Amino acid sequence: MLSTTPLTDGWILRHPDEDGAGLPAAVPGCVHTDLLAAGLVPDPFLGRNETEAAWVGRREWTYERRLGTASEHERTDLVFDGLDTAAEITLDGRTLGRVRNMHRSHRFDVTGLQGLLLVRFASAYTEAEAVRGRLGDRPAAYAEPYAFVRKMACSFGWDWGPTLVTAGIWRPVRLESWSTARISRVRPLVTVEQGAGVVELRVEVERTRADAGLAVEARVGGVRARAAIDGTDGTVRLRVPDPELWWPRGYGEQPLYDAELTLLHGSDALDVWRRRIGFRTVELDTSADAHGSGFTLVVNGERLFARGVNWIPDDVFPSRITRERYRRRLGQAAAAGVNLVRVWGGGIYESGDFYDACDELGLLVWQDFPFACAAYPEERPLRGEVEAEARENVVRLMPHPSLVLWNGNNENLWGFRDWDWERRLAGDSWGEGYYLGLLPRVVAELDPTRPYTAGSPWSGSWAHHPNDPAHGTHHSWEVWNRTDYADYRREVPRFVAEFGWQAPPAYATLRRALPGEDLAPDSPGMLHHQKADDGNGKLERGLARHFAVPEGDFDRWHYLTQVNQARAVAAGVEHWRSHWPVCAGTVVWQLNDCWPVTSWSAIDGDGREKPLYHELRRLYADRLLSLHVRDGGLVLAAVNDSGEEWAAELVLRRMSVAGEVVASTRTAVRAAARTVAHVGVPPELAPAGPKEFLVADADRLRALHFPAPDREVPYPRPEFDVSVESGAVTVTARTLLRDLLLQADRLDPAARAGRGLVTLLPGERVTIEVGGWKPPLGQEAADAVRSALYCVEPAR
């Protein structure tokens, strides 16, 4: 049987030009984390220390350790699951190979060899700039040369991320010793046919003996099958009767089956492959209709609205992301009602731990190939690397039932059309051959059970603009960049794959990341942790459209920018969900951060949930009430994305901001499963000017409509009572409290609140669970809570 020896210990990190003992190196890891552990660079996440670590990415580095390969087996391989990025590997002075791709694994025959193992990393800048010198420059969204090296693009910086260009052995490394043969690849094609689960395992083996008779025996769900290996490949097919289907969350359960395949030589087991699989079907409906051409995911025959979030690497140093951290972050997504996670193309193919968690949580995965916001050359050495990484990762990830879509790139087809690339390229290659040629061929050959789309955004062909909202996927960035979030309501795209609004991270996150700084929107650390072009200007202009912008009051600015972020995303999601099935999905930019930063995230770089996160829990719930202005009148949309009919009494109240009910009515609302019902609001209930608003209540859900921006609304001075118990805070309103927020991390950095923004009418109360805080006794606790409570106040 194949034996494995992990190589995690005994590594030393050196700079080639330096003598001395070197540094202890963690493997998996990277140079930055080793230097941090040794105290040789300051934490780049704090203050403006990022600039103090810039030199690291410009230097060469060497990992070394002694290696012995003595074994009773016929063959020993040195296997690297991930090397970041351009490196030469030598053993006892003998070159084993040279590599240049972070997204691939590498295997070297080291049978009988021993001595000093060296992994010499060139600077990724040196590698990228050399390729650019040979192939010529290409346009990109950023000046860094990320398009010329197969590496996580965002390590070169992004409009939410630091520039920390990594190097290192970032995934596990091991010795594998074996005799006769080993399993080199298994492609599990999992389908459902006529009520049965069908598993076709296509096996490839590597041999030391060409004449050895080999077979494979497979087991799935109690069903067994056996097949011979002819040469270096074979196929074994199993049929599992009446399997339990795997469903996305909200549509059913997520049963997983253990699949095992054993390579045999006679009765001797040589190698074993084990994975978990799930039975389900997936289609992508892009057919034409009266509204254009759609983009609807269909799982097990059920058409679904994708309640999505975009995922970026959860740490700029990906080797630090543990299985537990993936589970925690994706668990937060699931708890917010998310059913789809898009793995964005400027990052990585994530660890198997990521996809395992998605399998278990019922989170659909849309996987980008790693191309983002640049023209990518198609010549060698890049083309061969692109094909090799695509082939490896398609096979690596295809066992996971959560994976439902392969996507060729992020914004590159759009960039070619709209960002002046075509003129600047003057006929040079730019990636079209990957997205419309190579990648769809690889997916069709290796993983025909899943759909592929060429890019996001993409209208399906060059017959339409790549970002045409009537066709395929759409990225809505004009709103954040230039206009007001009310403009989300001007269009009904078929599928909104990116949109979002910025806000700063939680207060405790800022305090940790900017120690000792006198916080202000434009203080040095705040500006350094704002990477977007004119980001603060867009925040300010976005605020000014709705609020009187506070001058010199950082705490109010911090609160209002977070409110504005939640309101902006709500404006889009409420509008687009109300237009199901014409619009079949929203994928909010973005779920998470890779460091503490002002960004579009719902969960900040320290893992704290911003008000947007809690708003997503409302927006992405199975049932949602929202109010809309259409054709000159008000309409209530009752979105029912549950599997049962929704019938409820709807109470509509026209109210004054002083708390008086001006007019009211009761009516029935009924929405069939997976549909949206619309109820017209009687004209006499429409608010008359900024002193009034409309409240809609049904089944403990609420929708509000204020006809004027907050800066025009004569809110009363907020008055409320507070009571504190262990683990909970109760607020009772004596006046209208608009968007009340308890910032629990102001009570204690470890504290978390169980809910976000809530609007209370006079006399109403809300109890907010608070974890991680031990309140003081008596009035001191209530005073502390009052200092952490914020709501919209009358304009000053």
Side-chain angles (χ1 to χ4, degrees):
M1 177 68 79
L2 178 147
S3 65
T4 299
T5 304
L7 301 178
T8 55
D9 300 326
W11 290 93
I12 299 295
L13 176 67
R14 300 183 190 277
H15 184 271
D17 296 336
E18 292 178 351
D19 298 324
L23 303 174
V27 172
C30 75
V31 172
H32 285 83
T33 53
D34 290 332
L35 295 174
L36 272 168
L40 297 178
V41 293
D43 187 340
F45 287 11
L46 303 184
R48 290 179 284 175
N49 290 344
E50 174 196 351
T51 59
E52 301 299 314
W55 62 272
V56 177
R58 292 283 184 180
R59 300 181 74 171
E60 298 177 359
W61 299 93
T62 296
Y63 286 74
E64 66 177 53
R65 63 160 285 165
R66 304 299 301 182
L67 185 67
T69 63
S71 170
E72 297 179 354
H73 284 284
E74 299 170 349
R75 169 84 173 262
T76 298
D77 292 336
L78 175 63
V79 184
F80 294 94
D81 284 341
L83 293 170
D84 176 16
T85 292
E88 179 186 44
I89 301 94
T90 64
L91 178 57
D92 196 28
R94 172 181 172 180
T95 299
L96 300 179
R98 293 178 174 85
V99 302
R100 60 198 328 155
N101 192 329
M102 180 182 184
H103 305 303
R104 292 180 60 187
S105 64
H106 301 278
R107 178 181 292 267
F108 305 101
D109 182 354
V110 294
T111 307
L113 301 179
Q114 61 182 352
L116 185 63
L117 174 63
L118 300 176
V119 185
R120 296 188 179 95
F121 286 96
S123 163
Y125 279 110
T126 301
E127 168 71 13
E129 288 161 356
V131 173
R132 180 168 60 185
R134 293 198 300 272
L135 302 182
D137 202 6
R138 299 292 197 281
Y142 304 99
E144 300 280 318
Y146 56 92
F148 298 91
V149 63
R150 297 308 298 153
K151 175 177 174 59
M152 183 175 87
C154 64
S155 69
F156 288 90
W158 220 259
D159 57 3
W160 37 257
T163 302
L164 294 166
V165 178
T166 51
I169 305 173
W170 77 288
R171 280 182 167 162
V173 56
R174 62 191 175 277
L175 290 175
E176 289 187 356
S177 298
W178 53 280
S179 299
T180 307
R182 72 172 185 90
I183 298 169
S184 60
R185 188 168 79 166
V186 178
R187 284 198 298 122
L189 300 174
V190 182
T191 57
V192 180
E193 299 176 4
Q194 299 177 337
V198 177
V199 184
E200 188 172 281
L201 299 173
R202 299 188 178 181
V203 188
E204 297 177 15
V205 301
E206 184 179 9
R207 292 173 174 263
T208 61
R209 295 168 50 193
D211 61 343
L214 301 177
V216 288
E217 185 173 275
R219 177 181 59 82
V220 177
V223 176
R224 295 178 180 272
R226 187 182 176 103
I229 296 294
D230 182 13
T232 59
D233 57 67
T235 299
V236 58
R237 184 179 172 92
L238 304 94
R239 190 175 182 88
V240 179
D242 302 318
E244 296 181 77
L245 296 184
W246 185 96
W247 289 92
R249 63 182 302 104
Y251 287 78
E253 300 301 316
Q254 294 80 43
L256 297 169
Y257 288 75
D258 292 324
E260 181 177 285
L261 182 141
T262 304
L263 177 64
L264 299 167
H265 177 227
S267 60
D268 295 333
L270 303 178
D271 198 358
V272 178
W273 174 93
R274 295 184 181 93
R275 298 291 188 277
R276 291 187 305 171
I277 61 172
F279 292 104
R280 56 101 184 97
T281 63
V282 59
E283 305 165 74
L284 179 64
D285 184 358
T286 59
S287 57
D289 57 26
H291 304 279
S293 48
F295 193 92
T296 304
L297 284 165
V298 185
V299 178
N300 297 329
E302 184 84 41
R303 302 171 69 83
L304 58 89
F305 185 95
R307 295 176 256 172
V309 288
N310 281 276
W311 171 276
I312 66 169
D314 205 52
D315 196 316
V316 75
F317 306 129
S319 59
R320 297 200 297 199
I321 309 173
T322 62
R323 182 179 184 86
E324 293 71 27
R325 182 162 161 184
Y326 277 125
R327 168 67 62 166
R328 183 168 61 253
R329 196 72 68 244
L330 291 166
Q332 287 173 298
V338 168
N339 65 14
L340 179 142
V341 178
R342 176 190 172 209
V343 181
W344 168 76
I348 57 177
Y349 306 94
E350 293 286 346
S351 156
D353 295 332
F354 173 94
Y355 304 94
D356 285 344
C358 291
D359 291 343
E360 296 163 11
L361 293 167
L363 293 171
L364 301 175
V365 175
W366 157 337
Q367 176 70 51
D368 280 14
F369 287 96
F371 301 90
C373 301
Y376 284 77
E378 297 175 38
E379 293 81 10
R380 294 193 180 279
L382 294 173
R383 186 177 183 87
E385 290 293 342
V386 166
E387 180 165 1
E389 82 178 47
R391 288 183 172 277
E392 176 178 336
N393 284 285
V394 166
V395 173
R396 178 174 73 91
L397 300 183
M398 60 189 289
H400 295 280
S402 57
L403 178 60
V404 294
L405 183 67
W406 293 103
N407 176 54
N409 75 90
N410 175 75
E411 297 189 345
N412 294 343
L413 296 160
W414 182 20
F416 180 76
R417 178 58 55 88
D418 268 7
W419 301 346
D420 197 34
W421 288 6
E422 187 170 7
R423 179 190 63 80
R424 295 166 61 190
L425 286 163
D428 286 342
S429 66
W430 57 276
E432 182 182 28
Y434 297 147
Y435 319 134
L436 300 179
L438 173 64
L439 296 176
R441 285 197 300 271
V442 168
V443 172
E445 174 194 341
L446 299 178
D447 189 15
T449 67
R450 287 181 179 85
Y452 170 89
T453 184
S456 184
W458 180 235
S459 59
S461 78
W462 287 115
H464 304 287
H465 188 282
N467 201 28
D468 187 336
H471 299 276
T473 49
H474 177 69
H475 289 195
S476 181
W477 285 116
E478 283 296 298
V479 168
W480 159 252
N481 285 318
R482 294 179 179 85
T483 69
D484 182 48
Y485 56 72
D487 287 352
Y488 285 137
R489 304 184 183 107
R490 293 179 177 270
E491 293 180 329
V492 183
R494 307 312 305 270
F495 192 105
V496 190
E498 282 190 22
F499 75 106
W501 201 270
Q502 270 201 351
Y507 183 78
T509 299
L510 288 174
R511 274 288 168 225
R512 187 193 70 82
L514 305 176
E517 181 159 314
D518 186 8
L519 294 177
D522 58 353
S523 60
M526 287 293 294
L527 290 178
H528 187 81
H529 289 250
Q530 164 62 278
K531 296 296 187 179
D533 182 34
D534 190 30
N536 272 17
K538 293 169 185 176
L539 283 175
E540 295 289 343
R541 291 189 291 275
L543 272 185
R545 296 183 183 106
H546 298 271
F547 300 99
V549 179
E551 296 291 338
D553 187 341
F554 177 81
D555 291 343
R556 292 297 300 173
W557 176 88
H558 179 264
Y559 160 74
L560 289 175
T561 51
Q562 294 205 330
V563 169
N564 226 30
Q565 180 188 39
R567 295 248 199 110
V569 171
V573 174
E574 287 182 340
H575 173 64
W576 294 320
R577 283 195 78 182
S578 77
H579 283 278
W580 161 259
V582 176
C583 180
T586 58
V587 189
V588 175
W589 187 271
Q590 65 214 61
L591 174 70
N592 58 326
D593 274 325
C594 64
W595 76 315
V597 64
T598 296
S599 83
W600 298 262
S601 71
I603 302 168
D604 74 19
D606 281 5
R608 292 188 175 90
E609 297 156 349
K610 292 155 77 167
L612 171 60
Y613 172 84
H614 296 282
E615 186 69 353
L616 284 178
R617 294 176 64 181
R618 180 184 73 86
L619 296 169
Y620 277 170
D622 285 349
R623 293 173 175 173
L624 172 68
L625 291 181
S626 55
L627 287 161
H628 308 268
V629 178
R630 293 185 186 165
D631 300 324
L634 282 171
V635 173
L636 178 129
V639 177
N640 180 22
D641 203 10
S642 74
E644 300 177 352
E645 181 185 59
W646 182 20
E649 181 183 56
L650 173 66
V651 180
L652 295 169
R653 287 177 287 172
R654 175 182 163 194
M655 297 191 66
S656 72
V657 294
E660 300 169 347
V661 177
V662 179
S664 66
T665 188
R666 295 173 182 266
T667 188
V669 60
R670 186 181 299 274
R674 317 292 186 196
T675 67
V676 181
H678 295 92
V679 178
V681 175
E684 62 271 19
L685 290 177
K691 294 183 178 182
E692 294 184 350
F693 63 103
L694 179 65
V695 183
D697 291 298
D699 267 359
R700 298 189 301 277
L701 300 180
R702 172 169 286 177
L704 297 167
H705 171 70
F706 285 78
D710 293 74
R711 53 185 164 76
E712 297 177 11
V713 177
Y715 291 111
R717 187 69 56 190
E719 297 179 8
F720 53 87
D721 298 316
V722 173
S723 63
V724 181
E725 297 178 3
S726 178
V729 168
T730 298
V731 179
T732 303
R734 288 189 268 121
T735 64
L736 171 66
L737 301 179
R738 182 84 193 277
D739 281 333
L740 179 72
L741 177 67
L742 174 61
Q743 296 191 33
D745 60 294
R746 289 177 179 264
L747 301 171
D748 187 293
R752 296 289 193 276
R755 68 172 303 154
L757 301 168
V758 57
T759 293
L760 298 179
L761 307 180
E764 292 183 336
R765 68 177 56 186
V766 63
T767 296
I768 303 169
E769 294 182 0
V770 180
W773 178 53
K774 184 178 180 179
L777 299 175
Q779 186 60 36
E780 186 180 349
D783 291 343
V785 168
R786 282 183 174 274
S787 70
L789 281 169
Y790 290 78
C791 65
V792 178
E793 297 183 358
R796 298 173 184 173

